């Protein structure tokens, strides 16, 4: 039973920074793709960054490119999202998602990822 647990959310002022973490546990084989989605009230959930854990290939949405950085630890069980120059429009619930297949990193839809976390709130004022 794979579990993803996010942490690191909080409230910051515009221009500030936060680092989110997502720890994966309970899987037998290495996860192929891990990433971050976010959803603001009244908006659709959007994919903002992901990483193919084997080769390290990353994807960023245009809205966060240059400000957010996704990374993984050496065990490939934890990913991070370093967020700088935060803006009020970055306020959202941030969700971690993962899948066994690295090819899933091409999927835009949150529901396409087999494993999903409960989310952590980020508020920028």
């Amino acid at each position: 039973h794979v579990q993803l647990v996010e942490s690191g959310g909080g409230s910051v002022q515009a221009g500030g920074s936060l680092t989110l973490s997502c720890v994966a546990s309970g899987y037998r084989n290495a996860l192929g793709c891990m990433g971050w989605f976010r959803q603001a009230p009244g908006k659709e959930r959007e994919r903002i960054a992901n990483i193919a854990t084997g080769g390290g290939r990353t994807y960023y949405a245009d809205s966060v490119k240059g400000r957010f950085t996704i990374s993984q630890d050496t065990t490939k069980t934890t990913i991070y999202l370093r967020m700088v120059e935060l803006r009020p429009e970055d306020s959202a619930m941030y969700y971690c998602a993962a899948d066994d297949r690295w090819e899933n990193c091409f999927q835009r839809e949150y529901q396409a990822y087999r494993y999903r976390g409960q989310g952590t709130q980020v508020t920028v004022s």
Side-chain angles (χ1 to χ4, degrees):
H1 178 61
V2 177
Q3 285 190 313
L4 303 177
V5 178
E6 305 98 332
S7 62
S11 297
V12 295
Q13 292 187 337
S17 60
L18 284 173
T19 298
L20 306 183
S21 301
C22 171
V23 180
S25 63
Y27 54 91
R28 293 184 178 181
N29 301 309
L31 295 169
C33 179
M34 297 183 73
W36 294 94
F37 288 72
R38 69 183 180 187
Q39 186 169 24
K43 295 189 176 181
E44 293 187 356
R45 195 168 305 191
E46 64 170 331
R47 179 181 59 154
I48 56 172
N50 62 23
I51 183 167
T53 61
R57 180 174 180 171
T58 57
Y59 159 86
Y60 295 96
D62 288 343
S63 58
V64 306
K65 201 171 292 182
R67 300 187 298 121
F68 291 13
T69 304
I70 189 170
S71 61
Q72 61 181 342
D73 72 345
T74 55
T75 66
K76 301 177 183 178
T77 61
T78 301
I79 60 169
Y80 307 95
L81 187 68
R82 175 65 176 167
M83 308 183 293
V84 300
E85 299 177 16
L86 284 163
R87 306 166 180 168
E89 54 264 39
D90 294 317
S91 297
M93 185 70 80
Y94 283 69
Y95 298 90
C96 180
D99 199 88
D100 304 305
R101 303 169 61 245
W102 70 267
E103 295 90 338
N104 242 57
C105 275
F106 294 105
Q107 293 288 345
R108 298 180 180 180
E109 298 299 321
Y110 182 68
Q111 298 301 327
Y113 291 73
R114 184 173 181 181
Y115 312 113
R116 301 181 288 273
Q118 295 299 308
T120 185
Q121 179 69 39
V122 172
T123 303
V124 185
S125 58

